[in-house]
Amino acid sequence: MKKRKAKDEYIIIVGCGRLGSHIANIFSKKKKSIVVIDKKEEAFRRLGVDFSGFTIEADATEEDVLLEAKIDKADIVITVTDDDNTNIMVAQIAKKIFNVPKVIARIFDVKMKEFYEELDISILSPTILSANKFIDIVEQEAKEKL
Amino acid sequence: MNIIMVGGGKKILFLTKSFISKGYNVTVINNDKQFCNKLAKRYNAKIVNGDGTKLYILEDAGIAATDMVLALTPKDQDNLVTCQLASKLFGVKKTLALVNDPRNVEVFDKLGVNTTISTSGIISSLIEQKVFVDQITNLIPLEEGKVAVIELEIHEDYPVVNKSLKEIDIPPQAIISCIVRNGNPIIPGGETKIISKDKVVILTLPEIQSEVLKAIAGRVD
């Protein structure tokens, strides 16, 4: 595979909610090539005025849509819709069918995270992330009191 | 046999009734409480109200002791997850998913769900073929529509009338596998002649179906 500069990385973001749009805006400022997919057009309003990527209004569980987004050329696919199962399905399609090098999915259900992590997909669980942070803070304060 | 079905609508009602009459133990998972109540009143099946892609719901439904899981919701992603959890986590031997987007059949196959039914794919190809080719009296798609069995009646004005099979020039990807003459089936050889009013059963790939029909009927409507 042709090695590209980090700046030229091609990123597909599925789901343009609060998290998806936030990630898209940040990567856009870092001058990366980005395509954002969401099934609702209104969702794209969350993207900043200076957002330089492309948007596709469609259901990402349809293979045609992913091909339109040129998933076969993507370096990173991030799935952050509000539906765990959509994230899981799109992430698996990206990894297993299109061999995307890096695939990251957000999954709310903690038990599902364990199961799907075996499939070579990086999984972020907001519940676990915030729980860990809370515990860190609590333990930190407990230590300081000692 | 223990069967778990996830989904709703008429097909679940129909399948529940049919499976119970065959003596199977049926469990239905559905997230609509009203539907669950209706089903529980009507049939002697175990009903679980909840999301069929959640582990605890599947456990409640007794997935560990089930022989078959049928995922029949209108959302492909949910059907995929249900089947993956069932087969990979709980070791259910047979899983079947309804695939709403016909293009997802291949996707499901590659992701380890091997039995899929694409209703919209099957129905649309059936309708298409029935609408455009009126000579066909019967048509059965096999292997998700990758192979088709078509049955058609030979009219006297067809160019193949009174010709033997070896004289008929049909593409190599199709075969005239059976001739029904006066209600009697004949497995034809190269010398067998086709006569008017015969019904021929042809095994063919769908992409060359119109070529085959052209060779036999002389025209494609």
Side-chain angles (χ1 to χ4, degrees):
Chain A
M1 205 190 286
K2 202 176 71 181
K3 184 116 179 149
R4 280 187 268 182
K5 279 182 270 173
K7 198 179 137 185
D8 300 335
E9 268 174 338
Y10 178 42
I11 304 170
I12 297 176
I13 298 173
V14 180
C16 194
R18 279 184 292 266
L19 182 59
S21 58
H22 192 68
I23 298 171
N25 283 330
I26 292 172
F27 279 143
S28 171
K29 283 198 187 90
K30 292 187 175 175
K31 304 272 181 284
K32 293 183 192 293
S33 324
I34 306 162
V35 170
V36 186
I37 306 174
D38 198 294
K39 54 181 178 185
K40 287 199 195 112
E41 201 193 352
E42 307 97 84
F44 299 127
R45 278 189 295 193
R46 292 192 177 94
L47 297 169
V49 275
D50 51 350
F51 175 71
S52 59
F54 293 93
T55 57
I56 298 176
E57 179 202 344
D59 184 347
T61 59
E62 288 170 20
E63 207 180 15
D64 285 347
V65 174
L66 295 173
L67 285 170
E68 190 193 333
K70 298 199 174 61
I71 192 169
D72 45 332
K73 295 194 174 66
D75 300 292
I76 302 173
V77 169
I78 296 173
T79 63
V80 283
T81 72
D82 57 359
D83 180 48
D84 274 5
N85 298 338
T86 303
N87 294 343
I88 288 169
M89 181 164 167
V90 177
Q92 286 188 82
I93 293 175
K95 193 81 213 180
K96 297 260 164 109
I97 294 175
F98 294 103
N99 298 315
V100 175
K102 196 175 194 106
V103 180
I104 313 166
R106 169 173 68 175
I107 294 182
F108 290 104
D109 189 330
V110 178
K111 287 199 175 139
M112 296 285 250
K113 173 176 156 49
E114 291 160 15
F115 175 55
Y116 280 101
E117 249 163 4
E118 290 168 19
L119 300 174
D120 202 18
I121 294 165
S122 308
I123 287 174
L124 290 184
S125 164
T127 321
I128 294 181
L129 286 179
S130 36
N132 287 348
K133 194 73 196 165
F134 276 114
I135 291 165
D136 277 355
I137 295 170
V138 171
E139 285 179 350
Q140 195 88 38
E141 282 174 1
K143 259 184 213 162
E144 278 163 13
K145 271 185 193 161
L146 282 176
Chain B
M1 186 156 68
N2 299 321
I3 301 177
I4 292 181
M5 292 195 283
V6 185
K10 283 269 187 297
K11 56 183 174 293
I12 289 286
L13 290 170
F14 186 78
L15 285 170
T16 308
K17 190 176 159 190
S18 160
F19 285 152
I20 288 175
S21 71
K22 291 188 172 74
Y24 300 151
N25 288 320
V26 181
T27 306
V28 177
I29 302 177
N30 185 289
N31 53 11
D32 177 1
K33 202 160 188 177
Q34 249 183 322
F35 181 82
C36 289
N37 284 334
K38 185 173 147 195
L39 206 59
K41 271 181 211 154
R42 230 192 255 190
Y43 301 114
N44 182 24
K46 187 174 156 190
I47 321 284
V48 179
N49 177 219
D51 179 351
T53 65
K54 294 276 175 264
L55 285 173
Y56 62 94
I57 295 288
L58 291 169
E59 280 165 4
D60 275 359
I63 194 164
T66 201
D67 304 294
M68 201 193 278
V69 171
L70 314 179
L72 309 170
T73 77
K75 282 172 87 182
D76 284 356
Q77 59 269 44
D78 293 2
N79 293 343
L80 175 74
V81 169
T82 301
C83 286
Q84 286 187 326
L85 290 175
S87 65
K88 291 188 179 148
L89 209 57
F90 295 100
V92 176
K93 287 203 185 69
K94 186 150 188 158
T95 58
L96 182 146
L98 188 72
V99 179
N100 300 284
D101 178 2
R103 296 214 46 181
N104 275 337
V105 171
E106 217 173 304
V107 170
F108 273 52
D109 194 37
K110 284 180 186 158
L111 299 181
V113 182
N114 31 38
T115 324
T116 49
I117 293 183
S118 159
T119 41
S120 42
I122 291 172
I123 291 171
S124 56
S125 76
L126 267 176
I127 292 174
E128 232 169 73
Q129 285 157 332
K130 291 239 178 192
V131 166
F132 292 115
V133 192
D134 66 348
Q135 305 100 318
I136 296 180
T137 50
N138 204 352
L139 185 139
I140 311 156
L142 299 175
E143 281 297 308
E144 305 298 340
K146 284 184 202 130
V147 188
V149 178
I150 52 180
E151 182 188 335
L152 62 128
E153 201 177 312
I154 303 295
H155 293 221
E156 53 197 17
D157 57 341
Y158 284 7
V160 294
V161 171
N162 295 326
K163 277 191 181 170
S164 63
L165 291 198
K166 64 176 184 188
E167 290 171 305
I168 299 170
D169 189 25
I170 60 168
Q173 298 94 331
I175 181 168
I176 297 177
S177 48
C178 184
I179 298 174
V180 182
R181 187 168 296 162
N182 301 324
N184 301 316
I186 305 165
I187 303 297
E191 303 294 335
T192 314
K193 279 192 174 167
I194 289 180
I195 60 172
S196 172
K197 301 257 178 358
D198 274 357
K199 274 186 183 167
V200 294
V201 178
I202 304 164
L203 192 64
T204 175
L205 300 181
E207 54 268 30
I208 55 150
Q209 192 180 304
S210 58
E211 255 175 85
V212 174
L213 287 167
K214 206 171 164 193
I216 290 180
R219 68 200 156 90
V220 179
D221 292 332

